[in-house]
Amino acid sequence: MDKKIAVIAGDGIGPEIVTEAKKILSVIEDKFNHRFEYKEVLMGGISIDVHGVPLTDEALEEAKKSDSVLLGAVGGDVGNSKWYGVEPSLRPEAGLLALRKGLELFANIRPAYLYDELKSACPLRDDIIGDGFDMVIMRELTGGIYFGERNTQEVNGILKATDILTYDEEEIRRIAIRGFDIAMKRKKKVTSVDKANVLDSSRLWRKVVNEVAKDYPNVELEHMLVDNCAMQLVKHPRQFDVILTENMFGDILSDEASMITGSIGMLSSASLGKTKLGLYEPSHGSAPDIAGQNVANPIATILSAAMMLRYSFDLDQEADAIESAVKQVLKEGYRTIDIMSQGCNQVGTKEMGDLIAKRI
Ligand code: NAD
C-alpha cells in the first residue's frame, strides 16, 4: 500500500517524538511491504518563526492533499515564550484549531488503556482495576455548546451570560456512525452518554443514536446519563468499550478516563472527519520543560501512528504489531522517566523507539 502522510513535528518535544514514530512506521513499511511518503509541514511556533502565522494556507492544503496527518505537538512555555505576547489567533495553538477546522474533523477518539505493567500509576483501588480496562472515548468535536452562540449582557444592572448548545440530527448521525464503526473493530459495545432527562439536545442525541444502532445489530448499545458515567468511570471502568458523547461531556469524560490510566506520555488520539483522512497526535502537549533532552516518552505518538494505520488505512494487523511491541517493551521493564518505577530500566526517547522497533 502506498500512502502520503503529512508530518507536523511542531515545537518542544514534537520533533523528537515524531522522529521515533517515523522510525516505527519505517519498520512497518519493510515488514509488511508498504510505502509511506512523508511531507513535512510547519505548524505552531516554528511556523510563526518562519512565516509569521501558526498555519499557512499552503500548509493546510498540503495536509488536505495527504492521506493522513501525524502531529507531534505545538506550543511553547506559555509564561515565557516569545510566541505568547500576541493576540490569540496568532499563537501556536491557533494553528491546531485552524487545522482541525480546515480538515473538518468532527470526531475525536481517545483511548484509555491501562497497561498491566503500569497498574501502580492508576489511582484506583486494585479491586476496581481488576484485570485492567481498555476503552475509547468518542467525542463530537465541532458542535454543541463550544460552537454555539454566546454573549454576555447587562440586564437591569445585572450581568447575564448565555451559551447555546445546539445539535442537528446530521451532526449526531455522523459521529454516531463513527462510534459504531469503531465498536465493530473492538468489543462491540457502545455506551452513549447524554443528559436526556433534562436537555432537548440530548433527547435528539438519543433518538438518532437509536436509529443508527439499527444498522449495527452486532453492537450492544446502552444509554447512560453523563453524571452517572462520571461516577461509573471510577467505580467500574471495566464495563466500558466505546463511550460515545457530545463535545463538552466528551471533553470532561476523556480527561477523567485518561487520568485513571496514570500516564499522559502513553495516551494517543485521533480526530476524524467525513473521509478517511485523520489527524493523529499524542494527548499531551509540547512539554517545553524537557525538550531536546532525549527524555520524552515517545509511546503516545507511536501509538497515534498505530491508530492512523488502523483507522485511516485499515491496516489492523500492522497496528496490532505496534501495540504488541509497546506492551512487550514495557513487560521487559524498559521505561522513560515519566513512567519510571523501582527495578525498571530507564531509557531515553531514542532508545525507547529503538526497542519498540526491534520488537516489531
Ligand atoms: P504538556 O502536556 O506539554 O506537559 C505537562 C507535563 O507533562 C510536563 O511536565 C511535561 O514535561 C510532561 N510531559 C508531557 N508529555 C510528555 C512525554 N511525552 N513524556 C514525558 N513527559 C511528558 O502540557 P503543558 O505544559 O500544559 O503545555 C505545554 C505546551 O504544550 C503549551 O504551549 C500548550 O499550549 C501546548 N499544548 C499543545 C497541545 C497540542 O499540540 N495538541 C496539547 C496540549 C498543550
Side-chain angles (χ1 to χ4, degrees), residues 13 73-76 78 84 93 96 265 281 284-290 296-297 338:
I13 59 170
V74 293
V78 180
Y84 291 92
E93 293 76 7
L96 186 54
E281 57 177 318
H284 58 74
S286 61
D289 53 333
I290 55 167
N297 186 348
D338 57 313

Side-chain angles (χ1 to χ4, degrees), residues 206-226:
R206 203 174 270 217
K207 175 177 176 289
V208 175
V209 170
N210 280 332
E211 286 166 12
V212 171
K214 289 186 188 137
D215 293 331
Y216 297 85
N218 297 327
V219 177
E220 180 196 344
L221 168 66
E222 68 173 353
H223 297 282
M224 192 177 277
L225 296 175
V226 62

Side-chain angles (χ1 to χ4, degrees), residues 298-341:
I299 293 180
T301 317
I302 290 170
L303 292 174
S304 301
M307 286 182 88
M308 178 174 73
L309 300 181
R310 191 183 299 286
Y311 296 125
S312 280
F313 306 160
D314 285 320
L315 297 175
D316 288 342
Q317 209 191 338
E318 289 79 345
D320 287 345
I322 297 177
E323 289 162 5
S324 307
V326 168
K327 281 183 201 162
Q328 182 61 32
V329 168
L330 292 175
K331 204 169 166 185
E332 291 168 21
Y334 295 104
R335 303 279 190 274
T336 42
I337 195 165
D338 57 313
I339 50 173
M340 184 60 192
S341 58

Side-chain angles (χ1 to χ4, degrees), residues 130-237:
D131 54 4
F133 50 82
D134 174 7
M135 69 183 100
V136 299
I137 313 280
M138 170 66 87
R139 164 189 170 193
E140 203 288 327
L141 204 57
T142 54
I145 199 162
Y146 293 170
F147 288 86
E149 276 174 44
R150 69 188 80 250
N151 68 67
T152 304
Q153 50 185 302
E154 200 175 308
V155 182
N156 298 331
I158 294 177
L159 280 176
K160 182 178 170 181
T162 307
D163 297 280
I164 296 181
L165 197 178
T166 306
Y167 271 109
D168 70 38
E169 52 185 318
E170 284 316 309
E171 285 174 305
I172 302 169
R173 194 175 317 279
R174 64 187 188 178
I175 181 85
I177 289 170
R178 284 289 189 180
F180 279 89
D181 282 346
I182 277 168
M184 286 295 288
K185 285 180 175 258
R186 295 175 46 91
K187 289 174 276 173
K188 300 190 174 60
K189 181 178 175 191
V190 169
T191 304
S192 174
V193 174
D194 59 36
K195 189 72 182 168
N197 54 341
V198 180
L199 302 175
D200 261 17
S201 55
S202 281
R203 285 189 273 274
L204 180 62
W205 181 276
R206 203 174 270 217
K207 175 177 176 289
V208 175
V209 170
N210 280 332
E211 286 166 12
V212 171
K214 289 186 188 137
D215 293 331
Y216 297 85
N218 297 327
V219 177
E220 180 196 344
L221 168 66
E222 68 173 353
H223 297 282
M224 192 177 277
L225 296 175
V226 62
D227 37 357
N228 186 26
C229 184
M231 187 173 78
Q232 294 297 331
L233 272 171
V234 289
K235 195 176 160 207
H236 185 28

